[in-house]
């Protein structure tokens, strides 16, 4: 079943590991987007095609330095693809998580406006929690919420606020993701980064 299958992140990781996608290459990113665009044209009602095109856009935004700083248009296209995936396949939970991420990034933009960015983080966390209310043991949702809480704490730390309450909640989510799926790579990496940054914060060392 799609909702409980491999996460989009896992699919993208497989593509990278097998050499099917080099996220550092704008040419390969655009070729992958074009391939999923053809899939969407052939099957306009097939939600996974929209979701995978959106996931490629996410990789472009987060990892492809050569593509330049993501624009509102880049994020809007990701939002539209994730949203269409949800419309076509309502129980596609990875697409719901992707939509929460894309909307959050678009609303926060460069995180200069504190109130707007804070509200965007809170809305993203609420959307992820909605997914967890439907599937409480879905490890990718616990990872996403933990990673978002970790980022939210870092955002607060950068503005002279205490990040520890958010980081403690993040740790609970990340550990829950690992309890459900012990070999899940993403929460392991997120926990390592969280513990390192938390230790630096407590000791007064640069983050």
């Amino acid at each position: 079943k799609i909702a409980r299958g491999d996460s989009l992140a896992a699919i993208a990781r497989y593509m990278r590991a097998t050499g099917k996608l080099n996220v550092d290459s704008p040419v390969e990113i655009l070729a992958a987007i074009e391939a999923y665009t053809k899939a969407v044209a052939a099957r306009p009602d097939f939600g996974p095609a929209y979701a995978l095109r959106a996931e490629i856009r996410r990789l472009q935004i987060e990892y492809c330095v050569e593509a330049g700083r993501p624009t509102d248009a880049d994020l809007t296209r990701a939002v539209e693809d994730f949203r269409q995936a949800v419309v076509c396949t309502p129980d596609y939970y990875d697409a719901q998580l992707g939509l929460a991420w894309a909307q959050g990034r678009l609303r926060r933009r460069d995180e200069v406006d504190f109130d707007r960015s804070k509200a965007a983080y809170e809305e993203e966390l609420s959307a992820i929690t909605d997914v967890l209310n439907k599937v409480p043991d879905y490890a990718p949702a616990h990872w996403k919420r933990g990673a978002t809480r970790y980022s939210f704490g870092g955002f607060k730390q950068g503005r002279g606020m205490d990040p520890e309450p958010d980081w403690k909640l993040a740790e609970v989510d990340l550990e829950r993701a690992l309890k459900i799926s012990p070999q899940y790579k993403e929460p392991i990496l997120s926990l390592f980064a969280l513990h390192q940054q938390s230790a630096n914060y407590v000791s007064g060392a640069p983050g």
Side-chain angles (χ1 to χ4, degrees), residues 16-35:
R16 294 169 66 183
T18 55
K20 296 181 184 296
L21 180 65
N22 176 8
V23 296
D24 296 320
S25 169
V27 172
E28 290 192 31
I29 289 281
L30 292 175
I33 290 174
E34 182 179 356

Side-chain angles (χ1 to χ4, degrees), residues 37-151:
T37 298
K38 290 178 180 177
V40 165
R43 288 278 307 277
D45 60 342
F46 188 53
Y50 291 100
L52 287 167
R53 184 170 67 177
E55 180 64 12
I56 300 302
R57 297 192 195 280
R58 185 189 70 79
L59 293 174
Q60 178 186 27
I61 289 166
E62 296 204 326
Y63 297 110
C64 191
V65 177
E66 290 186 27
R69 188 179 183 85
T71 65
D72 283 1
D74 294 326
L75 290 163
T76 298
R77 283 190 284 268
V79 168
E80 291 171 349
D81 273 347
F82 278 125
R83 182 178 289 125
Q84 190 60 34
V86 172
V87 169
C88 293
T89 315
D91 65 348
Y92 197 168
Y93 300 123
D94 280 336
Q96 294 177 35
L97 295 174
L99 180 59
W101 166 82
Q103 289 178 326
R105 278 295 303 269
L106 181 60
R107 289 164 180 160
R108 290 194 302 273
R109 293 181 174 83
D110 54 9
E111 298 191 349
V112 171
D113 186 307
F114 175 82
D115 290 334
R116 183 181 67 196
S117 298
K118 179 176 179 292
Y121 272 115
E122 290 170 345
E123 289 166 8
E124 183 174 352
L125 288 168
S126 178
I128 299 170
T129 299
D130 286 344
V131 173
L132 283 168
N133 288 337
K134 300 170 189 172
V135 277
D137 292 330
Y138 194 47
H142 284 283
W143 166 57
K144 290 281 190 180
R145 190 169 66 177
T148 303
R149 282 172 164 163
Y150 170 46
S151 296

Side-chain angles (χ1 to χ4, degrees), residues 142-193:
H142 284 283
W143 166 57
K144 290 281 190 180
R145 190 169 66 177
T148 303
R149 282 172 164 163
Y150 170 46
S151 296
F152 195 15
F155 165 77
K156 290 179 178 178
Q157 181 189 17
R159 285 148 185 82
M161 302 171 67
D162 183 5
E164 287 288 293
D166 293 284
W167 287 350
K168 290 185 188 312
L169 291 171
E171 185 175 36
V172 171
D173 269 328
L174 295 172
E175 289 180 346
R176 176 63 177 159
L178 282 176
K179 184 176 181 180
I180 296 167
S181 183
Q183 303 304 315
Y184 195 6
K185 180 180 178 182
E186 278 80 1
I188 294 174
L189 296 175
S190 295
L191 267 174
F192 177 80

